[in-house]
Amino acid sequence: MPYRNYLIALFLLTALTALSILSIKLMQAPEALPASAPATEFSAERAMQHLRRIAQEPHAMGTPAHAAVRRYLVQQMEALGLQPQVQEAVQVTQVGEASHAGYVYNILGRLKGQQPGGKAVLVMAHYDSQPNTPGAGDDGAGIAAMLETARALQQGEPLQHDVIFLMTDGEEYGLYGAKAFLKHPWAAEVGVVVNVEARGNSGPSMTFEISPENGWVVEQFGRAAPYPFASSMMYEVYRLLPNNTDFTVFRDAGYTGLNSAFIDGFVHYHKMTDSPDNLDQNSLQHHGSNMLAMVRQFGNVALDDTKSRDKIFFNPAGSWLVQYPAELNMLWTALVTLLLFVTVRVGVRKKALTLPQVIGGLLSFVLIVAVVAGVFFPVNSLVKGFLPYAHDINGVYGAGRFFMAYLLLALGLFLLLCWQVLRWMSLFSLALGVCVLWFVLLVLTLLLLPAAAYLFLFPLIFCLAGMLVVFLRGMHQQQVAWPFAIVLLAAVVPAIFMLMPIVRFLFVVFALQMPEAMVVLLLLLAGLAIPLLVIIERNFSWRMVPLLPILLLLVGAIQVYRAIDAEKPSAAQPLHSHVSYYLNADEGEAVWASAYQRTDNWNKQFFPAPTSGALTEVYPMAARVYLKNQAAAIPVEVPVAILQNEAIEPGERILTLQLRSPRGAAHLDLVLQPQLEGDFLSASINGEALTLQPIQTKQGPVYFAKVHGLPESKEVELEVRLKQGSNLLLYLCDISIGLPEQLVQVPMPDYVVPEQGRESNLLLVRKSYTF
């Protein structure tokens, strides 16, 4: 008998492990097709030829590389017969009390359909990169996918509708290009939008955002996409987050469409390692295969009525997409309510549990989850303390190694605590207590995030059904046998396939920034499998010693050590260093500054005697605290402000100023200080009004604006309206990417790259002017 029990336990352990791995493996991008693939199909290898040109180097807006990428894309669209045009515009966005203006060069092309004059399909990605990354994934892969999609479309049957290809500019600095396109005449012709993005360099291309009233577009997506990875849960959760992409602009404007991205390899996001060589071509293939299929689908269906009642949709296994009307949630909830009531009643009648113990099981499980998740706060802090110098925002190179380590530790501690609880409680009282908690979470989700309720509905239905079969057949009163194990295993399979990929997804999203989210969901899944896990644990015990939990904890600790050790900086996985140079040309003073108080082995050369404080050397209203160190002032051309015209109107003085960067910087910062409080009336850049609010400083109120992406002329026009008789003090800063080489004593080694972001690896020069 013990030998049979051991075989059952071994079988269950193997099955649960295999099913968990399979559920994750099924959520993979399709295999990349070679350049020899049929001309009508999307080939990642063909698309890579474009990507290697696009992502040779960082190409943030306003840089020479940005202009070079734009010229290449225009040439490719001309070769494809798309008759490209460049939309040149200034787009202004209010950011708090300041205004940010982007000088954008959107690239537009059009593939004519057989029925011109109707609605068109808009395909969109952005071609600008962050300043310190080649941007292969974000969003070079999207641009390359567009070019290959356009080529494949021309090799197949003509579509009914026109297809507009929009390569937006300035997404990384403020969604400028998408906002500017809404003013273009073609915007009124758009019937549906397909946008692609990235938050890493690998993984499946997941459709994480769909426009409201999604029924029609979900149906079309499920019908056409060859690999539809999507869920209404991601759609609901993303709407609550402060994150934005170009698609946000169209969603908020009422357009129908969908937004897809791959997110694995987050540590490469916005970094120099987001290069073509590091991009997973399978992810590019997934981008393109779905994009091509969706454009063909949308290009041949009516686009006049694209709104319908919301649907619930998710992948129960791999790319199998289930969808149903949201109203059916109430029917499913009624079923699970009835099933829970019947299961508890039958369980009590069959003496498998008692109501007080079920309540005790519920409270015990909540306590177990709280304890395990709580333990991970100090554990995670300890792990991060042993890591090589890194910033939390960057993720880790060995995310998979840390995921496995934390999974083992969480399961080990969970089983150990369950072992303690089950010394005074029956197994199925604890199991039903878990189901009651799941039911409570289901009700809360229905009230707060109804599109995510499926996540609790279907796993709970199957687990309750399996438990009910066990009670009705009296299996709980017998020795552990194969029918008992098979029924419980079958009941938990849907939960594994639905939840395990999301457990991994949560770790991919948050990594060591917030692993507790992954731990909690993992424990909720483990709670449904408690009867199976207990069978395994008890048959691997020795003299009442819980060997399996102890083994899991030991192996998890070893895996943590291995994961930490594998994070050592190298050329393949460099550390990220933050430093910028700020020069006040009026005073002949300069400082090095870092947004982080801790230095690394490379940037410590700039901070031999550091202080902390705001950048008041440059900005009179500065408040954010930086690590600073005095630096040598270098001779450099300063930004120029020239009075072009002065006009007097009743009660107003109107100044027209030419702002120019002789050294060809990428951006400008403007601080406007009128002579007296209340003297400032308005301002505009190239005719676009700025929305400015006063910012109080020791010198009085000032007004702040940014100009991202100076045009190729490196000039913009600023108009300022003041009260008549008032003077203006203008602090003008121009900003280029890269440090002054003559001041870098120790060159950056190959195991160091600039930190991500728009305030890293910069050279800023300030000059003041009075008018």
Side-chain angles (χ1 to χ4, degrees):
M1 190 71 69
Y3 180 70
R4 185 197 66 181
N5 291 353
Y6 176 76
L7 285 180
I8 292 173
L10 187 61
F11 164 75
L12 291 176
L13 179 61
T14 304
L16 289 174
T17 303
L19 289 170
S20 298
I21 294 172
L22 179 61
S23 69
I24 293 173
K25 289 290 185 183
L26 288 175
M27 296 289 289
Q28 298 294 317
E31 186 175 349
L33 293 181
S36 58
T40 55
E41 293 189 32
F42 184 97
S43 162
E45 195 170 305
R46 285 192 290 253
M48 282 297 298
Q49 297 172 16
H50 295 298
L51 185 60
R52 291 189 179 95
R53 292 290 301 272
I54 296 165
Q56 291 184 52
E57 59 181 318
H59 47 282
M61 61 190 308
T63 63
H66 177 258
V69 169
R70 179 168 62 253
R71 288 192 293 271
Y72 172 78
L73 294 175
V74 170
Q75 291 169 1
Q76 295 306 305
M77 292 180 80
E78 287 175 344
L80 289 167
L82 301 179
Q83 300 179 341
Q85 58 176 270
V86 176
Q87 180 195 13
E88 190 173 348
V90 173
Q91 178 63 41
V92 175
T93 301
Q94 185 172 358
V95 181
E97 298 162 320
S99 274
H100 292 184
Y103 200 102
V104 300
Y105 294 89
N106 285 338
I107 307 171
L108 294 82
R110 194 161 188 142
L111 181 63
K112 292 291 186 179
Q114 292 182 307
Q115 297 179 356
K119 292 292 185 180
V121 180
L122 177 67
V123 188
M124 178 171 59
H126 68 89
Y127 74 92
D128 65 307
S129 77
Q130 278 266 328
N132 297 306
T133 175
D138 180 26
D139 193 19
I143 295 296
M146 288 174 66
L147 291 174
E148 172 63 3
T149 293
R151 183 209 59 77
L153 287 172
Q154 291 181 326
Q155 302 302 312
E157 293 293 326
L159 304 179
Q160 298 298 307
H161 303 299
D162 287 4
V163 180
I164 298 171
F165 293 92
L166 170 61
M167 299 177 178
T168 63
D169 189 13
E171 190 272 353
E172 296 290 1
Y173 284 85
L175 315 181
Y176 294 126
K179 294 173 182 176
F181 177 75
L182 293 184
K183 303 173 185 177
H184 192 279
W186 288 2
E189 303 173 30
V190 173
V192 65
V193 180
V194 178
N195 186 64
V196 288
E197 262 285 1
R199 184 186 172 268
N201 68 349
S202 60
S205 179
M206 296 182 292
T207 301
F208 65 96
E209 186 179 17
I210 295 181
S211 53
E213 298 179 273
N214 63 44
W216 178 87
V217 71
V218 169
E219 183 179 341
Q220 300 299 323
F221 174 67
R223 183 180 300 167
Y227 311 102
F229 290 137
S231 81
S232 49
M233 178 199 68
M234 286 192 289
Y235 159 71
E236 282 277 10
V237 172
Y238 185 81
R239 288 201 300 177
L240 301 177
L241 298 176
N243 303 325
N244 294 312
T245 68
D246 279 340
F247 183 78
T248 308
V249 175
F250 288 83
R251 183 198 68 195
D252 292 346
Y255 288 84
T256 294
L258 40 81
N259 195 9
S260 305
F262 45 81
I263 66 169
D264 283 19
F266 171 65
V267 70
H268 303 285
Y269 179 58
H270 289 173
K271 315 292 196 319
M272 288 301 296
T273 49
D274 184 16
S275 64
D277 288 341
N278 287 336
L279 182 79
D280 186 346
Q281 290 192 32
N282 292 348
S283 301
L284 177 56
Q285 182 68 49
H286 198 178
H287 253 358
S289 294
N290 279 0
M291 178 189 288
L292 178 60
M294 292 312 303
V295 172
R296 282 179 171 150
Q297 178 69 15
F298 291 136
N300 287 315
V301 298
L303 299 177
D304 298 314
D305 187 11
T306 60
K307 303 284 187 183
S308 63
R309 300 172 73 176
D310 281 341
K311 283 190 171 185
I312 307 299
F313 53 97
F314 61 95
N315 298 107
S319 60
W320 172 29
L321 187 70
V322 167
Q323 50 180 300
Y324 61 86
E327 305 84 61
L328 286 182
N329 266 345
M330 300 312 297
L331 177 62
W332 292 117
T333 303
L335 174 61
V336 79
T337 304
L338 177 62
L339 195 53
L340 177 62
F341 175 78
V342 171
T343 303
V344 171
R345 183 164 183 174
V346 172
V348 171
R349 183 162 54 87
K350 295 284 187 175
K351 295 183 172 45
L353 50 90
T354 66
L355 287 178
Q357 281 209 343
V358 169
I359 296 173
L362 165 64
L363 297 177
S364 298
F365 183 72
V366 170
L367 181 61
I368 289 171
V369 172
V371 169
V372 176
V375 164
F376 270 85
F377 282 98
V379 166
N380 193 54
S381 296
L382 184 65
V383 168
K384 290 194 290 187
F386 283 112
L387 285 174
Y389 177 70
H391 306 138
D392 266 359
I393 61 172
N394 290 322
V396 288
Y397 289 100
R401 289 187 288 265
F402 282 103
F403 170 68
M404 182 55 63
Y406 281 25
L407 184 147
L408 292 170
L409 290 175
L411 285 178
L413 186 54
F414 172 76
L415 287 176
L416 192 61
L417 294 174
C418 287
W419 175 77
Q420 288 285 352
V421 168
L422 289 172
R423 298 175 70 177
W424 58 270
M425 176 183 294
S426 73
L427 173 60
F428 283 100
S429 292
L430 178 58
L432 252 297
V434 173
C435 291
V436 172
L437 175 62
W438 269 73
F439 183 77
V440 171
L441 294 174
L442 166 61
V443 173
L444 291 175
T445 307
L446 278 170
L447 294 174
L448 302 175
L449 291 172
Y454 72 87
L455 198 62
F456 296 100
L457 267 171
F458 297 104
L460 186 54
I461 287 175
F462 281 92
C463 284
L464 286 172
M467 215 173 298
L468 182 58
V469 170
V470 167
F471 295 160
L472 290 173
R473 300 296 298 270
M475 297 178 184
H476 62 288
Q477 297 174 337
Q478 305 167 7
Q479 291 289 332
V480 173
W482 285 104
F484 177 79
I486 296 298
V487 168
L488 290 178
L489 179 62
V492 83
V493 165
I496 293 174
F497 276 92
M498 290 180 63
L499 292 174
M500 200 62 201
I502 301 177
V503 170
R504 181 184 176 277
F505 170 80
L506 287 175
F507 197 83
V508 168
V509 171
F510 297 114
L512 301 190
Q513 294 182 58
M514 195 172 67
E516 296 79 16
M518 177 275 285
V519 169
V520 169
L521 187 59
L522 174 67
L523 297 186
L524 287 173
L525 171 58
L528 293 182
I530 274 181
L532 296 176
L533 294 175
V534 168
I535 292 173
I536 297 170
E537 185 274 319
R538 286 177 177 173
N539 283 282
F540 283 94
S541 295
W542 177 72
R543 294 186 179 181
M544 298 301 293
V545 176
L547 292 181
L548 183 60
I550 294 173
L551 179 63
L552 289 173
L553 289 170
L554 178 61
V555 175
I558 294 172
Q559 180 65 13
V560 167
Y561 172 80
R562 293 179 64 249
I564 292 173
D565 186 64
E567 289 293 308
K568 291 177 181 177
S570 66
Q573 47 184 52
L575 63 82
H576 309 101
S577 189
H578 192 291
V579 63
S580 289
Y581 178 83
Y582 297 84
L583 171 65
N584 183 332
D586 297 312
E587 307 295 335
E589 297 178 349
V591 295
W592 298 108
S594 173
Y596 301 93
Q597 295 297 309
R598 179 181 168 190
T599 58
D600 56 66
N601 288 336
W602 178 74
N603 75 356
K604 67 181 181 182
Q605 65 179 302
F606 306 109
F607 301 97
T611 60
S612 292
L615 292 172
T616 50
E617 297 87 349
V618 176
Y619 303 106
M621 70 291 187
R624 182 181 176 185
V625 175
Y626 287 80
L627 184 71
K628 301 195 303 182
N629 204 100
Q630 186 175 357
I634 60 173
V636 62
E637 290 185 284
V638 299
V640 174
I642 300 173
L643 181 63
Q644 296 284 86
N645 187 56
E646 180 177 1
I648 303 296
E649 293 185 358
E652 293 186 13
R653 181 182 181 221
I654 306 171
L655 303 175
T656 303
L657 307 175
Q658 180 199 73
L659 309 181
R660 182 165 53 88
S661 174
R663 66 189 186 92
H667 317 297
L668 290 178
D669 280 357
L670 323 174
V671 180
L672 310 174
Q673 184 172 351
Q675 184 176 1
L676 298 173
E677 186 170 353
D679 282 359
F680 177 83
L681 299 178
S682 66
S684 63
I685 292 286
N686 282 26
E688 293 291 329
L690 303 176
T691 305
L692 304 175
Q693 300 296 325
I695 304 171
Q696 296 301 322
T697 70
K698 293 180 180 179
Q699 304 104 283
V702 300
Y703 301 82
F704 182 59
K706 282 181 171 288
V707 181
H708 287 131
L710 289 175
E712 293 184 1
S713 65
K714 299 302 174 184
E715 296 179 0
V716 292
E717 183 179 274
L718 170 67
E719 181 186 275
V720 181
R721 289 177 176 262
L722 306 167
K723 286 186 177 179
Q724 190 170 346
S726 180
N727 293 329
L728 175 70
L729 176 60
L730 169 65
Y731 297 102
L732 181 62
C733 308
D734 67 353
I735 305 162
S736 57
I737 300 167
L739 303 178
E741 294 182 2
Q742 62 269 44
L743 297 182
V744 181
Q745 298 177 1
V746 180
M748 186 176 284
D750 60 1
Y751 66 87
V752 177
V753 293
E755 178 59 275
Q756 65 165 304
R758 296 174 295 191
E759 296 184 356
S760 174
N761 192 36
L762 300 180
L763 192 165
L764 180 148
V765 181
R766 192 195 87 170
K767 178 67 177 173
S768 62
Y769 296 90
T770 302
F771 298 96

